[in-house]
Amino acid sequence: MRKIVFILLFFLFATIAEGRDSVRVGSKKFTEGYLVSELLAQLIEEKGNLPVERRFGLGGTMICFEALRRGEIDIYPEYTGTAVEVILKGQGSSDWESLQKIFKSSFGLVWLKPLGFNNSYALALTEQLAEKKGIRTLSDLVGHPALRYGLSHEFLNRRDGWLGLVEAYHLSPQRVTGLEHGLAYEAVGTGETDIIDAYTTDAKIDLFHLKLLEDDRSFFPKYLAATIVRDELLVRHPSLKPLLNQLAGRLTEEKMRRLNAAVELEKKSVVEVARQFLVEEKLLEGKASLTGPTLLDRVLTHLFLTFASTGLVALLAVPLGILISRRKRLAHLVISIAGIGQTIPSIALLVFMIPVFGIGILPALAALILYATLPILRNTCTGLQEISPVLLEAADGLGLTRFQRLLHVELPLARRFILAGIRISAVTNIGTATLAAFIGAGGLGVPIVTGLAMNDTKLVLSGAIPAALLAIITEILFEGIERWLTPRGLSFPP
């Protein structure tokens, strides 16, 4: 057992230590975020001669910003309007020079020069519907409250998004639904919804023949794209600032929309598209020699997340289950407390861990440990409480001490229940661990999250199928172990 714990700790510390010597590039979980971050990563690797750890698809603005502020990542692309409305809570100006001063003095962060495009919010509907209803501007929506809105979750909760837009235009729609941004275009294209929020550089605007409604009251601020970097990284590597500023002004809105289309519509890889752009701009030469994590790497990370968390819980929950099994009231209280963790939605639990552990392996392990506790604890307690009192009296009659009775009678009889609890926790954690990709923990959730952001079914399946197979193999493996360890007299006939 000590060897197992040592191996787990070695793997954990090795994973943490690995990130110390590389530049950690983060991104939000939409196509443009992946692309711009990949441009930065390739420049740093090849012109900066520094290893890069890609922590892409980290969720929304605050997850990325908090990760940057805490030093979990070193750099990620952001938008000026988003920085003011979401990070600064509406305080300050969205011009680049003002943000430079505020972020340097308040957070120790540096804004590099703007990349060249303004990716603003807009509301969109099909050209056919717009013509039919005579809708051209956002003000025109006031007269059509029956239209169905399918809006991204982040847009719904932003003051520079839906919250402010409703007030500015006095909108009162009858039906507003939250949608994943990557799926919204299919929804409006198939007629499942009428109006969606869009980014002005989205590639699918033309594909689905959408009309962007004119912001006739100038509600939306400018969202100039630029890169935020930790100042301490630029102090350690001063050559990075002029290197990354070579991208300044090169990405126009037209170019950004073309790059997004190459990924989303032509199904080219982010690495390939980014490389092609850098070669066209004469910033790099030749084909990309970069290779991301392999399927084996992702499977090993996923197995580590799953079995490290389940193993640690088993070490703690089995002894605790033994302890509380003899006190029914205490057992009820402890099991109820353990059950609270499972009442919290998985993704919310992962986000709650960020303020304490940051992003990466540690918060993912902490969340998975909470999820794995209840089945093992409850099954251990129940297995021991279900042993016939007659058998226990017989053991006492043989003169066994309480410890001997536990070791030679109770635990062997309860073994089937305990193993079932560990099996349930392991299989459940294989599925839950896919969500850990949202906080940069890696594993098989990465292609799933990336595929959802780009609406790439093949990419989603490349993560979902191995995860499902792992769950099936784990289930079969534990069933075999259960049969092997269960005394013959307690085995059920096949």
Side-chain angles (χ1 to χ4, degrees):
M1 186 61 72
R2 287 180 180 177
K3 290 182 178 178
I4 296 174
V5 173
F6 176 78
I7 291 171
L8 292 176
L9 290 175
F10 176 79
F11 195 112
L12 177 61
F13 288 124
T15 303
I16 296 170
E18 187 182 19
R20 301 295 183 201
D21 298 327
S22 58
V23 178
R24 294 155 297 179
V25 181
S27 88
K28 300 180 187 179
K29 60 177 184 68
F30 60 96
T31 304
E32 191 167 287
Y34 285 97
L35 272 168
V36 176
S37 293
E38 182 61 31
L39 293 173
L40 300 170
Q42 291 194 24
L43 273 178
I44 295 169
E45 279 178 325
E46 299 202 30
K47 286 293 184 70
N49 295 316
L50 291 168
V52 169
E53 182 183 345
R54 291 167 171 77
R55 292 191 166 185
F56 293 176
L58 290 180
T61 298
M62 288 313 297
I63 291 179
C64 283
F65 176 72
E66 284 300 319
L68 184 69
R69 194 177 61 81
R70 293 168 56 98
E72 303 285 344
I73 58 175
D74 298 305
I75 179 171
Y76 85 97
E78 187 52 273
Y79 302 89
T80 54
T82 303
V84 172
E85 296 299 330
V86 179
I87 298 173
L88 301 180
K89 310 299 180 190
Q91 304 298 315
S93 168
S94 63
D95 69 89
W96 181 80
E97 288 81 7
S98 297
L99 289 174
Q100 265 279 36
K101 294 176 184 174
I102 294 172
F103 275 65
K104 184 71 179 289
S105 60
S106 302
F107 308 115
L109 303 175
V110 175
W111 280 77
L112 299 183
K113 293 179 181 176
L115 297 169
F117 65 94
N118 172 33
N119 187 3
S120 182
Y121 272 121
L123 291 189
L125 70 169
T126 62
E127 293 173 350
Q128 185 181 10
L129 182 60
E131 185 176 350
K132 180 181 176 182
K133 299 285 186 182
I135 300 173
R136 188 179 59 81
T137 67
L138 291 175
S139 293
D140 293 336
L141 293 174
V142 176
H144 302 277
L147 292 176
R148 301 163 297 170
Y149 289 67
L151 307 177
S152 64
H153 298 286
E154 181 166 351
F155 182 80
L156 276 171
N157 294 290
R158 289 176 60 146
R159 286 192 331 105
D160 60 333
W162 185 243
L163 296 178
L165 192 70
V166 168
E167 293 181 10
Y169 283 92
H170 307 292
L171 300 177
S172 55
Q174 296 170 1
R175 183 177 171 185
V176 180
T177 306
L179 283 177
E180 175 66 26
H181 184 72
L183 303 176
Y185 287 95
E186 277 66 23
V188 76
T190 57
E192 296 295 325
T193 191
D194 298 318
I195 297 177
I196 62 171
D197 60 301
Y199 305 129
T200 52
T201 55
D202 277 352
K204 294 180 178 177
I205 292 172
D206 295 333
L207 178 69
F208 287 94
H209 303 290
L210 299 183
K211 180 178 180 58
L212 299 181
L213 298 182
E214 181 188 339
D215 181 14
D216 51 317
R217 295 184 185 175
S218 301
F219 167 76
F220 293 117
K222 279 197 171 182
Y223 298 84
L224 298 177
T227 303
I228 317 181
V229 192
R230 288 181 64 79
D231 194 22
E232 63 183 38
L233 176 70
L234 298 179
V235 171
R236 287 204 317 269
H237 304 286
S239 61
L240 281 181
K241 188 172 183 179
L243 171 66
L244 297 178
N245 270 335
Q246 291 181 27
L247 283 172
R250 292 178 183 266
L251 279 165
T252 62
E253 289 174 28
E254 181 186 350
K255 286 181 180 177
M256 197 65 244
R257 191 181 292 190
R258 177 169 60 80
L259 298 184
N260 287 332
V263 173
E264 293 182 356
L265 307 182
E266 299 170 28
K267 301 302 180 188
K268 293 181 179 178
S269 74
V270 169
V271 172
E272 180 185 2
V273 173
R275 183 59 175 218
Q276 187 176 350
F277 175 80
L278 292 171
V279 171
E280 288 174 359
E281 295 292 321
K282 302 187 187 308
L283 295 175
L284 291 180
E285 297 177 353
K287 293 184 178 178
S289 58
L290 307 170
T291 55
T294 63
L295 176 62
L296 179 61
D297 294 331
R298 297 200 190 286
V299 169
L300 289 176
T301 302
H302 206 87
L303 287 174
F304 171 72
L305 287 172
T306 300
F307 289 103
S309 56
T310 307
L312 288 172
V313 170
L315 289 175
L316 297 173
V318 171
L320 182 60
I322 294 170
L323 184 67
I324 63 175
S325 65
R326 306 181 193 287
R327 300 169 178 81
K328 287 192 174 181
R329 288 186 179 178
L330 180 62
H332 179 73
L333 175 65
V334 173
I335 290 174
S336 297
I337 293 173
I340 293 174
Q342 290 209 334
T343 63
I344 304 173
S346 310
I347 189 66
L349 188 59
L350 286 167
V351 172
F352 291 157
M353 294 295 163
I354 291 176
V356 182
F357 298 107
I359 63 169
I361 295 285
L362 278 177
L365 279 178
L368 291 173
I369 284 171
L370 285 179
Y371 263 96
T373 299
L374 181 62
I376 298 176
L377 182 65
R378 183 167 55 192
N379 272 34
T380 301
C381 183
T382 303
L384 293 170
Q385 289 177 340
E386 291 296 315
I387 296 174
S388 168
V390 176
L391 291 175
L392 298 179
E393 288 175 6
D396 291 337
L398 291 173
L400 298 180
T401 64
R402 294 196 69 172
F403 180 73
Q404 289 173 327
R405 192 183 78 176
L406 173 70
L407 192 64
H408 299 294
V409 178
E410 294 179 82
L411 284 179
L413 291 173
R415 190 159 45 196
R416 188 184 184 91
F417 284 89
I418 297 171
L419 283 172
I422 297 174
R423 172 169 55 86
I424 292 169
S425 291
V427 172
T428 303
N429 268 2
I430 286 175
T432 307
T434 58
L435 297 174
F438 281 107
I439 55 172
L444 292 169
V446 173
I448 296 175
V449 170
T450 307
L452 285 173
M454 301 178 184
N455 197 24
D456 187 334
T457 306
K458 285 185 181 177
L459 199 53
V460 172
L461 291 176
S462 71
I465 291 176
L469 290 175
L470 278 184
I472 293 171
I473 292 170
T474 302
E475 177 79 20
I476 294 172
L477 182 65
F478 270 95
E479 282 184 2
I481 294 173
E482 278 184 51
R483 281 198 297 270
W484 179 52
L485 290 178
T486 301
R488 286 187 178 181
L490 296 178
S491 297
F492 294 112

